[in-house]
Amino acid sequence: MRYSGFRVIKEALTGHKGWTPAWRDPEPQSHYDFIIVGGGGHGLATAYYLAKEFQKSRIAVIEKGYIGGGNVGRNTTIIRSNYLLDGNEPFYEFSMKLWEGLEQDFNYNAMVSQRGVLNLCHTDAQRDAMTRRGNGMRLNGVDAELLDRDGVRKMAPFLNFDNARFPIKGGLFQPRGGTVRHDAVAWGYARGADQRGVDIIQNCEVTGMRIENGRIKGVETTRGFIGAAKVGVAVAGSSSRVMSHAGMRLPIESHVLQAFVSEGLKPIIPGVITYGAGHFYVSQSDKGGLVFGGDIDGYNSYAQRGNLPVVEDVCEGGMSLMPMIGRARLLRIWGGIMDMSMDGSPIIDKTHVDGLYFNGGWCYGGFKATPASGWCFAHLLANETPHSTATAYRFDRFQKGLMIDEKGMGAQPNLH
Ligand SMILES: Cc1cc2nc3c(=O)[nH]c(=O)nc-3n(C[C@H](O)[C@H](O)[C@H](O)COP(=O)(O)OP(=O)(O)OC[C@H]3O[C@@H](n4cnc5c(N)ncnc54)[C@H](O)[C@@H]3O)c2cc1C
């Protein structure tokens, strides 16, 4: 079924009886050409582009739970391409361009809202670093504007300018950044993939991998063995666990990251604002809730829930940046499992097992990468070569010392 304004009006006038399920619920077949493990944003996008752009068929997405139950439905919805390093910037800008055409591409309203992302700076050194980043972005053809204090005040007069311990000195603004309704992205890709014949198999956990003579033969699941010529793993926070079935130990740690939503308020936040003197980022959803977050909890965990010290830390960051937030009541908080890599950048690569491919290490920032990650992973699975924007995301960069350390933190996954 094609969605359109006409269809919405027709269904509204006829009791909404004509809507059909957005994707099928098929039984797993005994063998596929491609199995994608993980029905998050990245896995679904991979299957979608494999079918649509690379004309592949006999594809299944195997999901342990339900579509949208992982990080793709738990993140704070921020998209941006304000990266500094060469290995990263072209990839994230490719993703931004895909976001810009996504809703037309898969005929689904994902509420792509390019309201701008503003990173604040609070010291002269920070401003210098932002100038450098902004220039780097511009050299890559990406939009970036450096704002002074008055420019920030004009855009966000409610910030704490006068009594702040860390005064706002300016900010780096990316007008094309913004937010996207996160779970609609999962639903849109799922629907688009299903329409192209992809089997989306939910409630089916991969519990093992069958590898014979160095080649993948398929996956063991809670619904039996499913054979495959090629297997691509995109399970985000569960990366280490799933890849251990292939005998691999990854340069990735899993950490919890929490998200927070306030009660609905009148429109106040113009786009996305990030605090530079602590870790706090905030936007406002179309329903009015302030959507915000901060640091990961800082210890290894596979639990999709966090703890109070970080709740306190995030709320302190919010209070110091915009004291009025203290009057808002918190409605919901939750956690997701982050796949934190050693240099803060992702991996999209083949493994030592023939026919087994890996996509992960997305840290805090994998939602904005979803379209490009899916496209590049599909490219690798289909053509056996990396996409031109993802050539740096290799396993062997850790061996060769070619780290892509955007934050300059060193091998500290909890700090990226
Ligand atoms: C609180 C929070 C805020 C965030 N904010 C942002 C943000 O503002 N901007 C941004 O760019 N990024 C953000 N992120 C990061 C982003 O959400 C993730 O990097 C990204 O969603 C990960 O990729 P995914 O969508 O494929 O993951 P997921 O949705 O987690 O998909 C992985 C899937 O694999 C499945 N799986 C796991 N094990 C198995 C198995 N054995 N068998 C079968 N299936 C399995 C899981 O059930 C899950 O559905 C945030 C994350 C969190 C938690």
Side-chain angles (χ1 to χ4, degrees):
M1 176 193 289
R2 203 172 155 76
Y3 294 154
S4 65
F6 172 73
R7 182 96 212 179
V8 171
I9 294 167
K10 183 171 174 244
E11 290 299 330
L13 296 173
T14 54
H16 291 286
K17 296 201 177 90
W19 300 116
T20 52
W23 58 85
R24 296 165 295 128
D25 187 19
E27 283 300 312
Q29 296 175 28
S30 59
H31 192 274
Y32 291 93
D33 288 353
F34 298 89
I35 282 182
I36 309 300
V37 185
H42 293 229
L44 291 165
T46 304
Y48 174 79
Y49 293 123
L50 260 180
K52 178 169 180 278
E53 299 298 330
F54 299 95
Q55 310 296 315
K56 298 296 178 190
S57 56
R58 301 193 48 72
I59 306 163
V61 174
I62 310 278
E63 166 53 47
K64 158 172 97 165
Y66 61 92
I67 296 303
N71 289 348
V72 69
R74 291 168 180 269
N75 61 71
T76 38
T77 78
I78 300 166
I79 62 163
R80 56 186 172 86
S81 58
N82 55 359
Y83 280 74
L84 174 69
L85 300 181
D86 280 345
N88 280 329
E89 182 61 4
F91 172 83
Y92 285 99
E93 179 56 16
F94 177 43
S95 208
M96 183 61 84
K97 292 211 168 76
L98 290 173
W99 282 120
E100 286 170 334
L102 191 71
E103 293 165 300
Q104 289 73 21
D105 185 48
F106 62 27
N107 175 231
Y108 200 85
N109 181 9
M111 296 164 68
V112 177
S113 174
Q114 293 179 284
R115 286 176 285 178
V117 170
L118 173 63
N119 300 136
L120 298 172
C121 60
H122 308 263
T123 64
D124 292 342
Q126 223 174 12
R127 187 173 45 209
D128 288 349
M130 281 190 178
T131 309
R132 184 168 171 239
R133 178 178 295 265
N135 284 335
M137 289 165 66
R138 285 188 166 210
L139 285 172
N140 277 295
V142 180
D143 58 321
E145 289 171 25
L146 199 64
L147 302 181
D148 61 11
R149 187 182 149 91
D150 288 343
V152 172
R153 195 191 274 271
K154 208 168 151 198
M155 190 177 284
F158 51 85
L159 296 178
N160 190 2
F161 288 93
D162 300 321
N163 299 304
R165 180 167 170 206
F166 304 103
I168 295 167
K169 297 231 167 200
L172 182 63
F173 184 55
Q174 187 185 16
R176 285 163 62 242
T179 57
V180 181
R181 168 81 190 272
H182 50 188
D183 34 24
V185 173
W187 301 331
Y189 275 124
R191 177 172 167 274
D194 176 87
Q195 281 172 347
R196 288 167 178 80
V198 174
D199 282 356
I200 296 172
I201 300 161
Q202 300 180 75
N203 299 310
C204 182
E205 179 175 354
V206 169
T207 53
M209 291 188 193
R210 195 175 288 179
I211 296 165
E212 287 171 14
N213 300 322
R215 173 148 206 104
I216 192 96
K217 294 289 171 186
V219 290
E220 309 285 352
T221 79
T222 45
R223 291 167 73 172
F225 174 75
I226 308 176
K230 292 186 177 183
V231 174
V233 175
V235 293
S238 302
S239 292
S240 305
R241 288 212 278 212
V242 172
M243 293 310 280
S244 71
H245 298 316
M248 289 183 74
R249 188 158 178 256
L250 302 180
I252 287 177
E253 286 184 4
S254 291
H255 287 256
V256 184
L257 178 66
Q258 304 190 55
F260 306 76
V261 179
S262 79
E263 60 188 328
L265 303 171
K266 288 184 179 170
I268 173 76
I269 313 274
V272 177
I273 300 176
T274 74
Y275 185 34
H279 203 169
F280 177 81
Y281 37 91
V282 62
S283 65
Q284 189 165 16
S285 78
D286 289 1
K287 283 193 287 184
L290 302 182
V291 181
F292 56 95
D295 266 322
I296 51 179
D297 274 30
Y299 51 86
N300 299 161
S301 174
Y302 289 110
Q304 288 181 314
R305 61 174 187 277
N307 272 312
L308 284 173
V310 166
V311 176
E312 191 176 9
D313 182 67
V314 170
C315 292
E316 280 171 0
M319 284 296 287
S320 115
L321 179 67
M322 37 187 287
M324 67 168 185
I325 205 173
R327 303 287 296 275
R329 280 172 295 190
L330 207 52
L331 205 62
R332 288 181 285 140
I333 58 175
W334 64 83
I337 317 165
M338 317 304 308
D339 37 337
M340 307 298 292
S341 66
M342 293 296 146
D343 61 357
S345 292
I347 298 160
I348 303 177
D349 204 0
K350 296 179 186 181
T351 70
H352 69 287
V353 178
D354 281 346
L356 178 63
Y357 306 77
F358 177 73
N359 173 321
W362 293 100
C363 305
Y364 281 51
F367 178 64
K368 63 179 152 349
T370 305
S373 164
W375 187 299
C376 294
F377 201 31
H379 187 286
L380 180 68
L381 281 156
N383 300 336
E384 296 289 327
T385 52
H387 184 268
S388 60
T389 63
T391 51
Y393 297 153
R394 308 274 302 269
F395 277 115
D396 64 5
R397 72 174 186 265
F398 298 101
Q399 201 177 17
K400 293 181 172 166
L402 301 173
M403 264 66 81
I404 317 166
D405 186 355
E406 191 74 28
K407 283 196 182 171
M409 291 293 187
Q412 298 279 342
N414 54 317
L415 297 180
H416 285 295

